[in-house]
Amino acid sequence: MKILSIKSGFIIFSISFLIFSCAPRLSSSFVKEGYTDKAYSKIAVIGISNDLTPRLAFERTAVSLFKDNGINAVHGIDMFPQNMSKEDQQPANLMKIIKDNNLDGIITMSLIDTNDDHRYQQGNSYSVPAGYYRVGRHIYTRYITVNEPGYYVPTKSYVIEAVLYNLKGKLVEGKETWVWTGESALVNPSSLQSAALTFSREMVGQIIKDEIIIPK
């Protein structure tokens, strides 16, 4: 079931739709060609979810890990509340929020797909006694291998995507601002909140390792 897709050509003025619609490494990541301005003064981390619980899990985990690595990150929910009005979501107001809070970067994290499937589980194999035989004066036990039949178990996977936007300089409507994107598929987490926590750790781990963001 498709939940939400962030296009590579996303512009800053589309943030309203995303926010309000709906040392580990990521499975994949992509850096925009020519991206070199990696030092940020203040980055807002925004979890995109209609459910407040995973959103908070995204933001709190990522912000804490960024701060541990010397990067000034803040919770997006403090500036972009969960239930902003349509008027508050207008580009001019979003741009004002960014300016008033001195943000020069935003990271969004969103669930873009969920899949319910079945995974084949190989049956167990074990040995059981199957009689005895004599060799000279010695008696030995004969064993045979018994293979249990395999079976299918249900699986649920979450595909989560992160996008980094560079908001330095003057914000102009239509200007492309994304500079990095990363994605990961998490199989059978106990909940979406658990998936959010795992993804946040993977995302920050890769960003720090690859120096996608460095302290300013």
Side-chain angles (χ1 to χ4, degrees):
M1 178 179 65
K2 198 70 174 177
I3 301 297
L4 182 63
S5 178
I6 299 180
K7 303 300 183 182
S8 61
F10 184 78
I11 58 176
I12 183 60
F13 301 99
S14 298
I15 290 176
S16 57
F17 171 76
L18 288 171
I19 296 174
F20 309 102
S21 65
C22 165
R25 296 179 67 85
L26 303 175
S27 301
S28 63
S29 66
F30 180 78
V31 180
K32 186 177 181 180
E33 184 177 358
Y35 172 56
T36 58
D37 189 8
K38 300 180 178 182
Y40 292 81
S41 297
K42 188 178 183 182
I43 292 179
V45 177
I46 303 174
I48 301 169
S49 176
N50 291 326
D51 187 342
L52 182 61
T53 299
R55 176 178 183 178
L56 292 177
F58 273 129
E59 296 187 9
R60 289 172 178 170
T61 304
V63 167
S64 177
L65 291 172
F66 276 131
K67 287 183 175 179
D68 288 345
N69 286 277
I71 294 170
N72 184 22
V74 295
H75 303 96
I77 198 166
D78 293 337
M79 291 154 283
F80 305 96
Q82 188 78 349
N83 297 307
M84 290 179 73
S85 67
K86 289 186 177 180
E87 181 179 349
D88 289 338
Q89 296 174 37
Q90 294 304 307
N93 185 61
L94 295 177
M95 191 160 54
K96 183 177 185 300
I97 292 173
I98 292 168
K99 183 177 180 180
D100 289 348
N101 287 276
N102 299 311
L103 300 177
D104 57 2
I106 282 179
I107 291 180
T108 60
M109 293 178 286
S110 59
L111 175 67
I112 62 173
D113 202 7
T114 61
N115 292 298
D116 293 291
D117 206 344
H118 289 80
R119 174 173 53 86
Y120 182 74
Q121 179 67 48
Q122 183 69 44
N124 294 323
S125 297
Y126 52 93
S127 297
V128 296
Y132 303 90
Y133 62 95
R134 180 187 295 274
V135 178
R137 290 184 299 173
H138 301 283
I139 296 176
Y140 297 90
T141 305
R142 181 167 58 90
Y143 291 87
I144 61 173
T145 300
V146 176
N147 296 313
E148 293 181 336
Y151 54 95
Y152 287 89
V153 294
T155 63
K156 189 178 189 69
S157 62
Y158 295 96
V159 181
I160 304 177
E161 182 182 54
V163 184
L164 170 63
Y165 302 95
N166 185 329
L167 308 180
K168 300 168 189 176
K170 184 177 181 181
L171 297 179
V172 179
E173 187 169 0
K175 178 183 178 182
E176 207 172 70
T177 61
W178 76 275
V179 291
W180 173 87
T181 181
E183 185 178 296
S184 198
L186 307 174
V187 180
N188 278 346
S190 58
S191 64
L192 179 55
Q193 180 183 6
S194 174
L197 292 169
T198 299
F199 180 83
S200 296
R201 289 191 288 266
E202 290 181 352
M203 179 197 71
V204 176
Q206 177 137 4
I207 284 176
I208 297 303
K209 182 177 178 59
D210 295 348
E211 296 186 335
I212 302 299
I213 297 173
I214 60 176
K216 192 170 185 177

